[in-house]
Amino acid sequence: MTFDDLPIREDLRGLTPYGAPQLDVPVQLNTNENPYPPPDALVADLADAVRRVTGTLNRYPDRDAVELRKDLAAYLGHGLGADQVWAANGSNEVLQQILQAFGGPGRTALGFEPSYSMHPIITSGTSTRWIAGARDDDFGIDPARAVQAVREHRPDVVFLTSPNNPTGTALPLEVIRAVLDAAPGMVVVDEAYAEFARTGTPSALSLLPRSPRLIVTRTMSKAFAMAGTRLGYLAADPAVVDALLLVRLPYHLSTLTQEAARVALAHREALLGTVDTLRAERDATVEWLRGRGLTVADSDANFVFFGRFVEKATGPGEVAVDRRTLWQGILDRGVLIREVGPPEWLRVSIGTSAEMAAFRSALAEAMP
Ligand SMILES: *Cc1c(COP(=O)(O)O)cnc(C)c1O
């Protein structure tokens, strides 16, 4: 039997699964993880916590993860309480629950591309129709164009990613406000990279008090250096949390996950202490790439989007090389970066300074 013979849903035929390569190479700069492992004190506290709760694993976890949600609300600030916060296994699961509750058959979700590839994948996985809006040439979103797209399509869910993946671009609150005013349905601001934003970049959390249809999603996978824990969360009106309770699986967050996330939050100063180092490394990477004549998008995240790789270079900021060939050339030198987004660009996640030095020499050697 082949895949095509399966009685799979028609709307899933022809789709491709999420597929960032997981290759065992010395320098892995392709999934925007924090390169610094959790500090020893966290490891010790987590080991203690696991020992403490393992004796209770015959019981289901707290279905509503109340203590964890209190801790997450305290971390977010903005006067938020536990009833305005919800958590799941990675923000991908949070997004899936949002689409289960607010999308579905006959409904639509709008995003502005290039953006996070999981938004359309989770959208189609929940039988919601994806509508691809466009970002501007500088990867920003013009508020008037965004409003026009919202008025034209009247989507049930709008995705705004800020800082955006794969481009690194953050959105001014003005764009989010304009979309909120025009949108008939829910507006999701995916802030997976919020902690890396340059000083003064506002969070959509500040809009929550006057926006009952706004959902801000966050994750512990990036700045918090806890990608392996699988913990994502959101802040929204308490009624939104009530809606999500209808679609979440009972006991979806294991006791161990809840403990690990709470220990990580207790150690947040040490974990987030790496963020300044990563931002400085990011800014230096942007400068270095620009110094080599490449085009580089402004980044408020822990990665840098650079190009433009074209068949025939016609001006500054362009290099005549096939992106796949360059990506492979860098990989052959032991450095894995990400081939993602429009075909003229590559994305590199920010690693340690030693890893970034390896990236710079691999790129310099692999460039034509
Ligand atoms: C990495 C990322 C996520 C996080 O996914 P998790 O499931 O929390 O690991 C969410 N949104 C964007 C835009 C991302 O890049």
Side-chain angles (χ1 to χ4, degrees):
M1 194 178 72
T2 71
F3 180 88
D4 291 333
D5 300 324
L6 284 173
I8 189 177
R9 268 164 43 193
E10 283 307 322
D11 61 340
L12 293 180
R13 283 191 197 280
L15 300 185
T16 31
Y18 176 83
Q22 289 194 299
L23 304 177
D24 192 13
V25 295
V27 180
Q28 298 174 12
L29 303 173
N30 76 326
T31 49
N32 302 341
E33 293 148 326
N34 188 320
Y36 298 102
D40 291 344
L42 188 161
V43 173
D45 283 356
L46 181 50
D48 286 346
V50 169
R51 194 170 297 114
R52 184 163 40 74
V53 300
T54 300
T56 72
L57 289 182
N58 55 316
R59 300 294 177 189
Y60 282 115
D62 173 9
R63 204 166 44 216
D64 296 331
V66 175
E67 295 305 317
L68 170 60
R69 286 161 62 203
K70 279 186 199 159
D71 291 353
L72 287 166
Y75 164 64
L76 287 176
H78 292 267
L80 291 165
D83 61 340
Q84 290 164 287
V85 171
W86 180 245
N89 294 282
S91 52
N92 282 326
E93 189 180 47
V94 171
L95 296 173
Q96 185 176 54
Q97 292 174 342
I98 293 169
L99 283 159
Q100 284 177 310
F102 298 102
R107 292 190 165 214
T108 59
L110 167 72
F112 297 88
E113 299 183 339
S115 191
Y116 186 41
S117 61
M118 280 308 297
H119 292 160
I121 291 176
I122 297 171
T123 295
S124 47
T126 55
S127 295
T128 312
R129 189 163 61 83
W130 176 252
I131 298 167
R135 284 181 172 251
D136 305 331
D137 287 345
D138 63 358
F139 304 125
I141 303 177
D142 174 64
R145 269 182 71 192
V147 166
Q148 197 194 338
V150 169
R151 293 221 171 103
E152 183 187 338
H153 299 290
R154 301 195 54 78
D156 298 285
V157 178
V158 180
F159 286 105
L160 295 170
T161 316
S162 179
N164 187 44
N165 178 9
T167 63
T169 338
L171 294 174
L173 287 187
E174 176 203 356
V175 178
I176 297 165
R177 268 197 221 102
V179 169
L180 275 166
D181 287 345
M186 304 304 293
V187 176
V188 179
V189 181
D190 185 336
E191 291 193 348
Y193 300 96
E195 289 91 349
F196 294 108
R198 287 170 291 184
T199 316
T201 310
S203 163
L205 290 173
S206 61
L207 302 177
L208 276 175
R210 57 201 134 107
S211 316
R213 287 178 292 100
L214 171 64
I215 302 175
V216 182
T217 62
R218 297 277 188 104
T219 180
M220 296 185 81
S221 298
K222 308 289 164 52
F224 267 93
M226 281 274 137
T229 302
R230 308 304 301 128
L231 199 287
Y233 55 104
L234 63 73
D237 191 275
V240 174
V241 175
D242 289 343
L244 299 179
L245 292 177
L246 300 175
V247 297
R248 65 89 186 271
L249 295 173
Y251 318 111
H252 67 297
L253 265 187
S254 84
T255 303
L256 299 171
T257 303
Q258 294 187 37
E259 284 299 326
R262 293 193 67 205
V263 170
L265 282 163
H267 286 264
R268 64 173 169 256
E269 246 173 77
L271 289 172
L272 296 177
T274 64
V275 166
D276 283 343
T277 311
L278 291 166
R279 283 156 137 188
E281 199 68 56
R282 167 196 69 202
D283 294 341
T285 303
V286 169
E287 285 313 306
W288 184 83
L289 289 165
R290 284 183 180 153
R292 292 202 53 104
L294 291 157
T295 308
V296 187
D298 285 334
S299 178
D300 276 290
N302 65 334
F303 53 83
V304 174
F305 200 51
F306 64 100
R308 298 175 42 232
F309 307 113
V310 294
E311 228 177 290
K312 268 203 197 89
T314 56
E318 293 183 348
V319 184
V321 64
D322 171 59
R323 139 169 114 166
R324 170 37 73 99
T325 309
L326 182 60
W327 176 83
Q328 185 66 53
I330 296 168
L331 180 59
D332 292 344
R333 290 162 177 86
V335 181
L336 176 62
I337 65 169
R338 190 81 194 279
E339 206 187 0
V340 67
E344 300 173 343
W345 300 80
L346 286 167
R347 188 191 74 190
V348 61
S349 309
I350 301 302
T352 63
S353 65
E355 288 172 328
M356 296 321 286
F359 162 70
R360 288 191 299 271
S361 46
L363 177 69
E365 283 176 31
M367 283 264 274

